[in-house]
Every structure is written in C-alpha cells, then in structure tokens.
Amino acid sequence: MSGADTYLTFHLHEEIFGLEITRVREIVEYDRAVTRVPRTPAFMRGVMNLRGNVVPVVDMNRKLGFAERDPTADTCVIIIEIDVGEETMTVGAMVDGVEEVLELAPEDILEAPPAGTLLAPELLSGLARREEGFVMLMRVEAILAPGELAGVEPPPEAQTRT
C-alpha cells in the first residue's frame, strides 16, 4: 500500500487504540516484576527492569480515565520511545491486549473531532475507519507527557531486579 502508515493496535476495555509502529520498540508480557514507586501519579504502575534498563510503566487504563483492571493473560506492556527534546525516553504502556498491525492509507484517517470521543482531542492524532468501527490513533507525546514522568526515580532494589 503506497503512502500507508503502519499502526500497532491495542485494546483498553472495549475500545481499540493505535500507535504509530515507528514508536514501538517491542511488546513484552506482563509477567515481569513491576515495582511501585512512591509519590508518583496514580496512572504510574511503577518501573520494570528491561535488560538492565529501568523503564517507567504507565497503566493506560488509569491514564485515560478507565477503571483500573487486574492483569490477565492478555495484558502486556508496549515499550514505546518518546522524543523528549534532543533525547529519546523509553516508556512502557500497560494495555489490556494487543490486537494487530494495521496499514492505513491517508484517506482512511479522519481528523479527530473536537468533541464526542472518549479522549480529549489533543490526545488523538486522528480516527481510522475500519469495517468494525473506528480506531483512536493516539499522540504518544500527549499521552505520556515527559513532564509527568520526570523525576520518577526507582527505589534501589528495582534497579537490580530481573
């Protein structure tokens, strides 16, 4: 498909969301130890050790205003890279499950409406049409704002767990 953009789709409760695949580094099962960090926002699940690197994990259900869910066999963490000024930050987004990789032509992507969606329009880059409905395409920087994650320091024991 010429001129298509590729997105990783995932679900939270009954809604389908998408992220640009170029921002996704990997997907890991939620069977790893996530250490809670005191005095962090409610949507912060904690931090995890990913091959020796401390990665903050955001519970996307809580971040987007859905009720918190207990992890299931489908729960996973999407490891995302976010540009923060001149640097790249690695963040884990805990989701209920990954759906598929979609290629979307520009004509399949509609501008996010100013109202009428579950999310504030500044969190969305658009809506993708599909036979089953819409996929909400998320702006990574707006959802996982660097200012919200700044200063998340893991406790010393979190830095040595595997």
Side-chain angles (χ1 to χ4, degrees):
M1 190 182 289
S2 177
D5 289 320
T6 307
Y7 294 84
L8 175 69
T9 62
F10 60 93
H11 66 271
L12 298 170
H13 288 264
E14 305 304 318
E15 303 300 329
I16 304 294
F17 298 87
L19 290 171
E20 291 177 56
I21 199 81
T22 58
R23 299 310 201 85
V24 177
R25 199 165 105 194
E26 65 183 290
I27 302 165
V28 296
E29 292 180 24
Y30 188 78
D31 64 351
R32 299 172 181 260
V34 173
T35 303
R36 293 233 183 236
V37 179
R39 295 183 297 173
T40 56
F43 63 82
M44 285 295 302
R45 192 70 171 196
V47 294
M48 66 187 299
N49 181 342
L50 185 64
R51 290 183 292 286
N53 297 307
V54 177
V55 175
V57 178
V58 174
D59 183 329
M60 294 301 290
N61 277 310
R62 293 197 72 181
K63 175 66 180 169
L64 299 179
F66 295 121
E68 183 175 357
R69 288 186 134 171
D70 290 329
T72 68
D74 293 332
T75 303
C76 57
V77 178
I78 303 171
I79 306 299
I80 303 168
E81 293 183 341
I82 301 172
D83 295 328
V84 182
E86 307 262 332
E87 297 182 28
T88 301
M89 176 184 248
T90 302
V91 174
M94 185 177 129
V95 301
D96 294 341
V98 170
E99 295 287 317
E100 64 181 325
V101 174
L102 277 182
E103 283 193 14
L104 297 170
E107 60 269 16
D108 292 330
I109 300 174
L110 305 171
E111 188 173 324
T117 65
L118 297 171
L119 305 176
E122 62 271 11
L123 298 178
L124 298 176
S125 61
L127 295 173
R129 280 187 285 225
R130 291 185 14 179
E131 288 181 25
E132 310 85 46
F134 288 99
V135 175
M136 289 179 265
L137 305 177
M138 305 176 89
R139 290 185 204 275
V140 174
E141 286 81 7
I143 296 166
L144 306 174
E148 294 176 318
L149 300 177
V152 174
E153 294 295 328
E157 67 273 11
Q159 296 180 22
T160 57
R161 287 191 185 168
T162 55

